[in-house]
Amino acid sequence: MTILLHHHPWSRAATTVWVLEEIGQPYKLNTVDLRAGEHREDKHKARNRMMKLPVIEDGDVVMAESAAIGVYLADRYALGTLAPALDDPRRGAYLRWCFFGPSVIEPACMAKASGWEYSESSAGFGTYENMIATLEEGLAEGPWLLGEQFTMADVIVGATVRFLQQFKMIESEGALGAYVERLNTRPALQRADAKNQALIVELGLA
Ligand SMILES: N[C@@H](CCC(=O)N[C@@H](CS)C(=O)NCC(=O)O)C(=O)O
C-alpha cells in the first residue's frame, strides 16, 4: 500500500518526509500550495479541520499532527525497531519524548521568542530553561534519546530542535548542536532533505 503525504516543503510536512524515509514504506507526495491558500480550501479542510499540514492517508486512515503521524507509522510499520515493542519497558520513555516535542519544546520556544507572560506552574511546558536542561540530560548518555537505539522519538524531537535552531529559537551549541550533527548523518534525513530541496526548486521557492 502506498502512503499519501499532503505536503509542502516549507512546512512540518518536510519532517514527515524524513519519517517516511526512515519507515521505508512506499509513499507519494501531493503538494498543497500554502502560498496559494490551498490548505484553506474545502478539500483540505475535510482532511484536517485545522487546515494545516502535514496530513497522511494510509488506506482508510486519514490523519494530521506530525508527531502523532510519526508514532502511528512507527507502530504500524517499524514496531520493535523505530518504536519499542508494546511490552518493552523503554516504551514509557519513548512515548514521553514523542510527546515532549510538540507539547513542551515547541511552546516553550514560542513563549521565549514571543516574550509571553504566563504562569510557569500552570503552563504544561514550564520554562525554556527547564526544557533545555531536561533535553540535555536526556541526551547525556546518548547518542540517542533511548541510548544506543535510534527511534521515532529522535525524528520527532530531533526535527523540532533542528527546525527551531534554523530560526534561532533554541540553543544550537553544546549537547543540542552535537545531537543535530549526529542526526544530519542519517541517510534517511539526507534523502528527505534532498527531496524537499528538489521540490523547493521545482515550485520556484528557491
Ligand atoms: N501541530 C501541527 C502543526 C501543523 C502546522 O502548524 N503546520 C503549518 C506549517 S508548519 C501550516 O500548515 N500552516 C498553514 C496555516 O496555518 O495557515 C503538527 O505538528 O502537525
Side-chain angles (χ1 to χ4, degrees), residues 69-90:
I69 290 170
V71 170
Y72 163 82
L73 290 173
D75 278 354
R76 176 141 196 210
Y77 297 108
L79 196 57
T81 52
L82 286 172
L86 297 183
D87 60 354
D88 185 327
R90 292 173 305 169

Side-chain angles (χ1 to χ4, degrees), residues 115-132:
W116 291 352
E117 283 182 28
Y118 63 97
S119 155
E120 295 165 11
S121 303
S122 306
F125 52 85
T127 65
Y128 173 87
E129 289 72 22
N130 250 346
M131 177 276 288
I132 292 288

Side-chain angles (χ1 to χ4, degrees), residues 26 38 60 67 76 80 98 103 107 119 136 142 145 150 157 161 190 201:
E38 283 180 5
D60 291 338
R76 176 141 196 210
C98 289
S103 63
S119 155
E136 287 182 345
L145 288 165
F150 178 89
V157 168
V161 170
Q190 292 169 2
V201 172

